[in-house]
Amino acid sequence: IAIRHFQGQDAHSDMKKASESYKLGNILFERGEAGEAERKYKEALSFNPQHAFAWANLGNILQARGDIEGAIDSHTRSFQLTPDRARSAHNLGVSLQTASRWREAEHLYRTAIDLVTRDGGGGFDVAKSWTNLGVVLQAQSRLEEA
């Protein structure tokens, strides 16, 4: 019983450390310190690999840095953890679009649009997904659909 108690405390402590690292990452990112923010997001994930928002923000940093495969991986993990979140679908779509993976990006933008239509999207601006969907359709020479 004592071991389970301490394991529970460790898990709680790790969750708290993950949250603190994630929040510090956000502050650093807002200050323009992307490298330090990236380090904090990775630190958050070392404490809690299920932290979907840390995966998403890490993906955004990697995308901006030009590490598209890293961004795809991070955004995929975020979307797997939050499949009902329109912004997660959209972010993964952006990374896939950047890699010219048109069909996959199209699917993710349509998913984001469907999620917003179904539940409001949690404040996500769905116009971004509609715009990117048009670009992806044009890239596939599907001009009538775009």
Side-chain angles (χ1 to χ4, degrees), residues 26-102:
N26 289 343
I27 291 167
L28 290 164
F29 185 76
E30 287 175 16
R31 285 193 208 159
E33 299 178 42
E36 286 300 307
E38 177 181 348
R39 189 175 67 74
K40 284 297 177 184
Y41 294 138
K42 287 179 177 178
E43 183 178 276
L45 292 165
S46 74
F47 292 119
N48 177 10
Q50 304 299 308
H51 198 303
F53 297 133
W55 281 116
N57 288 2
L58 176 61
N60 292 339
I61 287 174
L62 296 174
Q63 176 89 19
R65 190 172 80 206
D67 179 358
I68 304 309
E69 289 306 313
I72 290 171
D73 180 58
S74 293
H75 284 137
T76 296
R77 290 173 185 247
S78 177
F79 182 64
Q80 288 171 339
L81 293 167
T82 56
D84 293 329
R85 187 169 180 256
R87 186 176 309 277
S88 294
H90 177 84
N91 286 346
L92 179 53
V94 169
S95 294
L96 292 166
Q97 178 181 346
T98 304
S100 301
R101 291 167 59 177
W102 310 121

Side-chain angles (χ1 to χ4, degrees), residues 80-133:
Q80 288 171 339
L81 293 167
T82 56
D84 293 329
R85 187 169 180 256
R87 186 176 309 277
S88 294
H90 177 84
N91 286 346
L92 179 53
V94 169
S95 294
L96 292 166
Q97 178 181 346
T98 304
S100 301
R101 291 167 59 177
W102 310 121
R103 291 271 183 197
E104 292 167 277
E106 175 187 351
H107 173 73
L108 271 296
Y109 292 138
R110 291 186 187 279
T111 298
I113 291 164
D114 288 345
L115 288 168
V116 170
T117 302
R118 200 172 41 206
D119 68 13
F124 175 69
D125 180 7
V126 72
K128 295 175 185 180
S129 292
W130 278 112
T131 300
N132 288 8
L133 177 59

